Amino acid sequence: MRITLISIPVRDQEKALKFYTEKLGFIIKKDAPLEGGNRWLTLVSKEAQDGPELLLEPAPNHFEPCKVFQDALMEAGFPYTQFDVDNVDSEYERLTKLDVKFSITPTKMGTVKFAVFNDTCGNNIQIVENL
């Protein structure tokens, strides 16, 4: 068994695509139209193009429990998911220059350093560096 796809709920696939590609640097792996104007839209890391795919899932627009869960995580300030980075400080600086808004600036906790930002699509995302 292996992980090949992880989904993240987004309220606007086009806005999410722009944020995740232009600001975070992911690249499109699959983009196929679905019913209702939705798309099967997956992204991968430039560094691991054959690695796990990130599905930009429009579930909050069609499944109320998903929207409620997403809203509750945002309100509590909890990250929906985490991306590993080589250097949290340099990613923080790079993303801040791109107007990405952080709720938690780089913070060391034990053997990791992390920061949390808003993806503009309904999610807090945590970046983590193993020290």
Side-chain angles (χ1 to χ4, degrees):
M1 200 175 303
R2 66 186 182 278
I3 297 170
T4 58
L5 182 105
I6 301 293
S7 67
I8 187 164
V10 298
R11 297 185 183 194
D12 182 325
Q13 283 186 307
E14 194 58 41
K15 182 178 180 183
L17 176 62
K18 192 171 181 131
F19 182 87
Y20 280 80
T21 57
E22 294 178 9
K23 298 202 178 196
L24 301 187
F26 290 103
I27 58 176
I28 296 171
K29 181 78 173 196
K30 296 177 185 138
D31 187 357
L34 299 172
E35 345 179 315
N38 296 308
R39 296 150 67 183
W40 183 261
L41 185 55
T42 68
L43 309 174
V44 292
S45 167
K46 286 181 185 178
E47 296 83 15
Q49 294 183 29
D50 292 323
E53 296 175 43
L54 178 67
L55 173 64
L56 300 179
E57 172 65 62
N61 298 330
H62 310 288
F63 186 58
E64 187 63 23
C66 183
K67 182 178 180 201
V68 170
F69 179 65
Q70 187 184 38
D71 286 344
L73 287 176
M74 278 297 286
E75 186 175 316
F78 290 150
Y80 186 86
T81 196
Q82 164 184 310
F83 300 132
D84 288 355
V85 297
D86 292 330
N87 186 304
V88 165
D89 291 319
S90 63
E91 275 301 301
Y92 172 79
E93 292 205 15
R94 182 183 76 79
L95 293 172
T96 299
K97 287 177 185 171
L98 294 171
D99 295 321
V100 174
K101 305 298 181 213
F102 281 79
S103 58
I104 298 177
T105 59
T107 303
K108 185 178 176 189
M109 185 180 293
T111 61
V112 300
K113 185 180 274 190
F114 71 97
V116 178
F117 63 85
N118 182 321
D119 76 351
T120 73
C121 304
N123 305 291
N124 287 310
I125 305 294
Q126 179 170 276
I127 54 174
V128 174
E129 170 189 353
N130 289 305
L131 301 174

